[in-house]
Amino acid sequence: MPPNPASLAPLAKTLMKGVIVVELLGVFGAYGLFYKMNGSQDFRSTMNRKLPSVLEVYYQSNEWAGVYGVREKDLAAWSANQD
């Protein structure tokens, strides 16, 4: 005997709310990470050491948006600190 569609409606509604919450957390988390990387060269240096692929996405998104030179400034500052 197949389940009654009316009994599945609350479950579907709850699952949809959960999916929306997870999506919103992802969007706000990505924005927060971008905001922190955009404002702190030290944080970008930390990201370069721990998660270079995430930093590469940050640089590419800036270049796609028309903001050039961030990568070059970071590399110049980091090489000056190593000397």
Side-chain angles (χ1 to χ4, degrees):
M1 183 160 161
N4 185 359
S7 67
L8 294 178
L11 176 64
K13 198 173 195 179
T14 303
L15 287 174
M16 191 57 156
K17 285 181 183 179
V19 167
I20 290 172
V21 167
V22 168
E23 288 285 333
L24 286 174
L25 287 173
V27 166
F28 286 119
Y31 176 75
L33 184 63
F34 177 83
Y35 183 79
K36 191 159 183 169
M37 279 197 289
N38 204 34
S40 173
Q41 191 175 49
D42 290 334
F43 185 69
R44 287 194 301 270
S45 175
T46 301
M47 293 301 290
N48 188 39
R49 286 191 313 273
K50 293 184 177 182
L51 294 168
S53 60
V54 174
L55 184 63
E56 182 63 28
V57 170
Y58 166 77
Y59 288 143
Q60 288 177 352
S61 66
N62 273 338
E63 291 166 358
W64 180 76
V67 180
Y68 298 101
V70 177
R71 181 191 316 253
E72 291 78 13
K73 288 178 189 174
D74 286 346
L75 291 175
W78 298 337
S79 65
N81 285 344
Q82 287 180 354
D83 295 338

